[in-house]
Amino acid sequence: DLFVDEYRIMLADKLLANRSSKSAADGSGTDREVHNLELLKLRFGENSMRQCEIMIKDMDDSKRIAANIHSTLEAKHQKKEEEEKAHNDLASNSVSMSTSNDDKKSTSASASASASVVD
């Protein structure tokens, strides 16, 4: 029991320390701990190692949920940027079209003025 309690405390510290490292991001950190835990379960029994198993599962679930939230937020951010770009493109096209129409009107007016002067 003392060994199991000490291992549980050490595992908690290790999981918390590794949660932001590269090995935590790719899951290799918890894979190694799962392997160790399986060996310890054979020696000390399933029930005595249940809390350690739950800690590892919680860390894996937390990483998965955080990755899902991150990808959802990233997708929303990209969609918003695309919508803003489309809106800005539409607005700039509208401004250039109105400027072009104004140029055509002024060219027509000067041509009419020139024609009346010639008459």
Side-chain angles (χ1 to χ4, degrees), residues 51-105:
Q51 288 179 330
C52 296
E53 189 173 25
I54 291 170
M55 284 191 295
I56 293 172
K57 181 184 177 300
D58 286 348
M59 291 300 288
D60 287 340
D61 289 348
S62 176
K63 286 179 223 165
R64 181 181 45 80
I65 291 168
N68 287 339
I69 290 171
H70 179 72
S71 66
T72 300
L73 290 175
E74 185 67 27
K76 284 183 180 182
H77 179 70
Q78 286 178 348
K79 183 179 177 183
K80 184 178 178 182
E81 283 181 346
E82 289 171 3
E83 288 172 352
E84 287 174 357
K85 184 179 182 301
H87 177 73
N88 290 340
D89 289 348
L90 182 61
S92 79
N93 286 340
S94 156
V95 167
S96 67
M97 288 177 70
S98 70
T99 305
S100 175
N101 287 339
D102 289 346
D103 289 346
K104 287 178 185 174
K105 287 178 187 175

Side-chain angles (χ1 to χ4, degrees), residues 19-62:
R19 70 177 173 207
S20 62
S21 71
K22 182 176 177 0
S23 66
D26 66 10
S28 63
T30 55
D31 288 347
R32 185 174 50 247
E33 294 306 326
V34 168
H35 175 72
N36 291 338
L37 182 62
E38 292 300 321
L39 293 174
L40 290 170
K41 278 192 213 176
L42 293 173
R43 171 67 174 93
F44 295 102
E46 295 265 340
N47 288 335
S48 63
M49 303 307 290
R50 174 111 22 233
Q51 288 179 330
C52 296
E53 189 173 25
I54 291 170
M55 284 191 295
I56 293 172
K57 181 184 177 300
D58 286 348
M59 291 300 288
D60 287 340
D61 289 348
S62 176

